[in-house]
Amino acid sequence: MNYDVIIVGAGMAGLTAGIYVARAGKTVLMLESGAVGGQIVTAFRIDNWPGNYGVSGGDLMKNISEQAIELGVEVRYEETVNILQNDSGFTVSTDENEYKCKALIIATGTIPRKLSAKQEKDAGKRPISYCATCDGALYKDKPVVVVGSGNTAKLEMEYLEGICKRVYHIHHDDPIPEDAEAVFVAIGRVPATGFLGGLVKLDKDGYVVAGEDCTTSCPGVMVAGDVRTKSVRQLVTAAGDAAVAADAAVKYLGKIDG
Ligand SMILES: Cc1cc2nc3c(=O)[nH]c(=O)nc-3n(C[C@H](O)[C@H](O)[C@H](O)COP(=O)(O)OP(=O)(O)OC[C@H]3O[C@@H](n4cnc5c(N)ncnc54)[C@H](O)[C@@H]3O)c2cc1C
């Protein structure tokens, strides 16, 4: 299949970009490897999304994804594994199919940083979770451990303390307590850019290098949301990027289609 635009990632940035591209009358495919809605879907309450005070991440993203689909965005649950540039545009390979498009918007966000090799070995066969609200209930009245030093680790601990018998708190690389039955990891996030190869320029931490115009080092490839180099990674900035990236993609199509 040949599309005007393929968007990789269906979080806040991808879905909002989809809304803008579809409303501009272009064909758009969105590829998502996990759940539509992205990293915010597990958040119980959001207090800084304008106009919907206290909304849950799940409800907010359900509304936005329904809006995108109704406007004509096609969503497929496939992981993008490779992108090649050719004379007619781009070939996007997923774990299941191959698609062609004239322009691309990368909106793959970030993924949780994994445990160190030492701690992973220490954890042995014990389950490792990156989301207390998703998995905490499985360890009701049992001892668990939270790994991490930042604000997210603190919030994960507070949540688990209401459910579990005991919640240990350790830092990156500390030994994992023997009686903890599950390991909750909150040691930050890293950009999901491994599939990009050398298509666009990345910074030293792996983020896609782009300024406020959301264009990348490769003409025809735009970027939006947490995956780009920026100082504030939030829902409103992801949505703002998406409008800019979609506008840049539509202008790029106008230029190449003449
Ligand atoms: C617990 C938590 C609470 C937060 N609370 C707030 C808050 O209250 N207010 C606020 O403004 N922000 C909050 N944030 C930050 C906010 O969630 C992010 O800034 C925002 O969701 C980023 O959106 P995004 O679309 O850029 O990325 P993401 O939401 O990360 O979406 C990227 C999507 O791309 C998909 N993807 C990745 N790689 C591939 C691939 N190779 N192929 C296909 N799909 C792929 C992922 O599965 C994901 O669905 C919170 C974040 C967390 C983790």
Side-chain angles (χ1 to χ4, degrees), residues 191-212:
T193 48
F195 67 98
L196 286 171
L199 183 72
V200 293
K201 191 172 170 207
L202 306 179
D203 77 359
K204 66 172 180 28
D205 297 317
Y207 290 93
V208 178
V209 174
E212 295 302 313

Side-chain angles (χ1 to χ4, degrees), residues 234-246:
Q234 287 279 282
L235 292 165
V236 289
T237 60
D241 280 359
V244 176

Side-chain angles (χ1 to χ4, degrees), residues 3-244:
Y3 294 86
D4 290 324
V5 180
I6 289 181
I7 299 173
V8 188
M12 177 58 83
L15 288 166
T16 309
I19 289 170
Y20 275 79
V21 174
R23 292 193 74 237
K26 306 297 177 192
T27 55
V28 53
L29 170 68
M30 186 171 297
L31 297 168
E32 170 56 53
S33 59
V36 164
Q39 60 181 279
I40 198 66
V41 291
T42 58
F44 268 141
R45 187 186 162 95
I46 302 164
D47 286 344
N48 56 4
W49 179 258
N52 217 342
Y53 183 45
V55 67
S56 75
D59 285 347
L60 177 65
M61 299 317 293
K62 182 170 173 286
N63 286 343
I64 296 175
S65 60
E66 284 172 358
Q67 183 180 352
I69 289 165
E70 200 169 315
L71 285 165
V73 176
E74 181 182 339
V75 180
R76 289 185 182 231
Y77 291 90
E78 295 172 28
E79 181 180 357
T80 300
V81 293
N82 189 35
I83 301 174
L84 289 176
Q85 190 176 23
N86 45 50
D87 287 346
S88 55
F90 301 91
T91 302
V92 178
S93 302
T94 70
D95 48 355
E96 292 180 33
N97 288 300
E98 207 173 86
Y99 304 97
K100 293 192 184 308
C101 64
K102 297 176 192 165
L104 269 164
I105 298 176
I106 307 300
T108 45
T110 55
I111 49 175
R113 191 186 298 280
K114 303 274 184 284
L115 280 183
S116 68
K118 178 172 162 274
Q119 277 182 326
E120 206 171 299
K121 194 166 162 225
D122 231 17
K125 290 202 165 67
R126 287 176 285 184
I128 296 173
S129 169
Y130 295 88
C131 175
T133 51
C134 312
D135 302 328
L138 299 172
Y139 306 100
K140 186 168 166 23
D141 299 329
K142 293 184 173 159
V144 299
V145 60
V146 173
V147 186
S149 329
N151 198 40
T152 308
K154 196 172 140 232
L155 292 173
E156 298 282 84
M157 283 202 62
E158 281 169 14
Y159 182 82
L160 291 167
E161 273 160 4
I163 300 172
C164 302
K165 182 176 160 195
R166 172 157 191 195
V167 183
Y168 294 100
H169 180 213
I170 62 170
H171 299 284
H172 198 35
D173 265 358
D174 287 346
I176 293 180
E178 272 182 22
D179 68 324
E181 291 193 23
V183 183
F184 286 84
V185 184
I187 49 177
R189 302 181 68 88
V190 292
T193 48
F195 67 98
L196 286 171
L199 183 72
V200 293
K201 191 172 170 207
L202 306 179
D203 77 359
K204 66 172 180 28
D205 297 317
Y207 290 93
V208 178
V209 174
E212 295 302 313
D213 65 0
C214 295
T215 59
T216 70
S217 59
C218 178
V221 182
M222 301 352 120
V223 61
D226 282 13
V227 72
R228 87 164 170 96
T229 48
K230 65 200 293 192
S231 55
V232 179
R233 292 193 170 87
Q234 287 279 282
L235 292 165
V236 289
T237 60
D241 280 359
V244 176

